[in-house]
């Protein structure tokens, strides 16, 4: 598929430093916009969560390779930064400045981990429609031990958390924001953010189903049908492109083996195992966290938010 290969090469040729800077600008702009009617303490609390999280990661996380799969250790964004024009120019201008790819990978993940509390604030602010809950989400991810532990390693889930959450933020902005300009920007960015998630690792194509579920939450809401259909079309196009140009092209054999009965049975065993399931393993996640999650799910169901509760469970499991 020459056309798909050309588009993939074009995206890969973008400067990673520029992509990271634009992503951070979008995240901060979304947070500022979402908190514009909130009390001042909300913005202060989100900023404090970033500082606390960054200090925790610099103090406690280990700069070391921790990815179990060798083929996934080259983070796409880190590679774009490493091979980009800006880093090459800095290396040529500054004597002795010659970062290795492993350093760029750990620093990229650290940067993404540091901004994740802001992303979670935006996601929760849209989904839960409550500033206090959104601040709690930011503080939780800032201090979550498993996230702190892997923040300076080569794992992919740090990047996936950011892009998958931002997909929902951009989607909700495109559907519900009262500013036509912001909605237009979100619509333009929606397939790009979706693609960033789907291309991060082969199993991330499963996020396409979660993105569709997020869209379904607004099927009967006060959203114009044309707007809803346009968002669905853009997300579907991004998913089809990623499936054809990345998942099937590079990992079709792995996908076939991943869907056989033995693998699915093992996945079910992992799901119910208190040792292998990191969401309930007390050595990975403090028991208070799943307890709070269960309390929150029960509270959401009692107030009639069962669909949103199920969506959150599926997103965390993904």
């Amino acid at each position: 598929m020459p056309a798909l290969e050309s588009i993939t090469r074009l995206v890969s040729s973008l400067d990673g430093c520029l992509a990271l800077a634009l992503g951070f600008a979008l995240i901060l702009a979304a947070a500022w916009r979402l908190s514009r009617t909130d009390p001042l303490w909300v913005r202060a609390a989100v900023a404090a969560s970033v500082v606390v999280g960054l200090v925790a990661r610099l103090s406690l996380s280990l700069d070391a390779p921790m990815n179990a799969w060798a083929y996934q250790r080259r983070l796409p964004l880190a590679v774009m930064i490493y091979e980009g024009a800006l880093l090459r120019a800095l290396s040529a201008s500054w004597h002795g400045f010659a970062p290795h790819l492993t350093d760029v990978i750990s620093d990229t993940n650290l940067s993404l981990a540091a901004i994740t509390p802001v992303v979670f604030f935006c996601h929760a602010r849209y989904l839960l429609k409550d500033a206090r809950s959104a601040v709690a989400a930011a503080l939780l991810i800032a201090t979550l031990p498993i996230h702190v532990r892997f923040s300076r390693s080569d794992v992919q889930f740090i990047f996936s958390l950011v892009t998958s959450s931002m997909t929902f933020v951009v989607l909700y902005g495109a559907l519900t924001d009262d500013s036509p300009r912001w909605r237009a920007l979100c619509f333009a960015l929606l397939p790009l953010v979706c693609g960033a998630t789907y291309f991060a690792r082969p199993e991330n194509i499963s996020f396409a189903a979660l993105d569709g579920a997020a869209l379904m939450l607004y099927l009967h809401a006060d959203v114009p049908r044309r707007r809803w259909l346009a968002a669905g079309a853009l997300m579907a196009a991004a998913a089809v492109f990623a499936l054809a140009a990345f998942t099937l092209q590079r990992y079709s054999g792995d996908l076939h083996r991943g869907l056989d009965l033995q693998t699915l049975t093992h996945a079910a065993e992992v799901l119910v195992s208190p040792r292998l399931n990191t969401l309930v393993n007390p050595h990975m996640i403090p028991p208070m966290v799943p307890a709070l999650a269960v309390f929150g799910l029960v509270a959401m169901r009692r107030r009639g938010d069962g669909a949103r509760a199920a969506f959150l469970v599926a997103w965390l499991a993904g």
Side-chain angles (χ1 to χ4, degrees):
M1 300 181 182
L4 294 180
E5 292 177 1
S6 299
I7 296 175
T8 303
R9 284 196 298 268
L10 176 62
V11 173
S12 300
S13 66
L14 296 176
D15 189 279
C17 291
L18 178 60
L20 185 63
L22 291 176
F24 274 36
L26 172 64
I27 292 168
L28 294 176
W32 187 268
R33 181 165 186 80
L34 284 167
S35 61
R36 66 189 185 279
T37 59
D38 293 333
L40 184 60
W41 70 264
V42 172
R43 289 178 175 174
V46 175
S49 70
V50 173
V51 174
V52 170
L54 184 58
V55 171
R57 284 155 179 79
L58 291 174
S59 306
L60 302 175
S61 63
L62 184 64
D63 186 352
M66 298 182 184
N67 200 324
W69 310 109
Y71 67 88
Q72 288 187 342
R73 285 178 178 159
R74 285 169 54 91
L75 303 180
L77 178 59
V79 173
M80 289 170 63
I81 293 174
Y82 182 74
E83 298 177 349
L86 180 56
L87 195 64
R88 288 200 304 267
L90 291 174
S91 298
S93 302
W94 292 357
H95 179 71
F97 179 72
H100 296 285
L101 177 58
T102 52
D103 298 324
V104 176
I105 289 173
S106 60
D107 290 344
T108 300
N109 257 356
L110 178 61
S111 300
L112 293 170
I115 202 68
T116 301
V118 184
V119 179
F120 268 49
F121 168 80
C122 296
H123 186 182
R125 189 68 179 85
Y126 265 127
L127 189 64
L128 304 177
K129 305 183 187 304
D130 180 73
R132 289 178 298 178
S133 299
V135 169
L139 290 171
L140 179 62
I141 194 62
T143 56
L144 190 65
I146 189 172
H147 197 268
V148 172
R149 175 65 172 171
F150 290 100
S151 292
R152 299 171 69 188
S153 69
D154 54 354
V155 296
Q156 294 277 13
F157 83 85
I158 300 292
F159 179 84
S160 295
L161 278 178
V162 172
T163 57
S164 63
S165 278
M166 279 309 297
T167 297
F168 305 136
V169 171
V170 171
L171 172 63
Y172 301 148
L175 293 177
T176 65
D177 199 272
D178 55 4
S179 168
R181 291 183 178 180
W182 186 258
R183 288 200 308 270
L185 175 63
C186 289
F187 268 113
L189 293 173
L190 184 57
L192 300 179
V193 181
C194 287
T197 302
Y198 304 153
F199 275 85
R201 52 183 181 172
E203 60 267 36
N204 273 16
I205 194 64
S206 62
F207 277 102
L210 292 176
D211 295 340
L215 182 65
M216 292 300 294
L217 291 176
Y218 284 86
L219 177 60
H220 300 296
D222 188 20
V223 174
R225 182 54 59 92
R226 287 185 179 181
R227 194 183 301 173
W228 189 89
L229 290 173
L234 290 173
M235 294 165 65
V240 170
F241 174 66
L243 185 65
F246 178 65
T247 311
L248 292 180
Q249 186 173 9
R250 301 185 186 181
Y251 303 101
S252 57
D254 300 280
L255 183 64
H256 177 74
R257 288 187 292 272
L259 294 176
D260 66 23
L261 182 59
Q262 182 179 359
T263 304
L264 295 177
T265 302
H266 180 64
E269 293 172 353
V270 171
L271 185 64
V272 298
S273 170
R275 183 179 66 86
L276 298 177
N277 188 340
T278 58
L279 293 178
V280 296
N281 187 334
H283 296 288
M284 304 292 287
I285 299 286
M288 180 186 68
V289 174
L292 287 174
V294 171
F295 175 80
L297 292 174
V298 172
M300 291 180 71
R301 284 185 59 84
R302 285 181 175 175
R303 71 183 189 190
D305 268 347
R308 294 179 192 274
F311 165 74
L312 284 173
V313 171
W315 174 62
L316 287 172

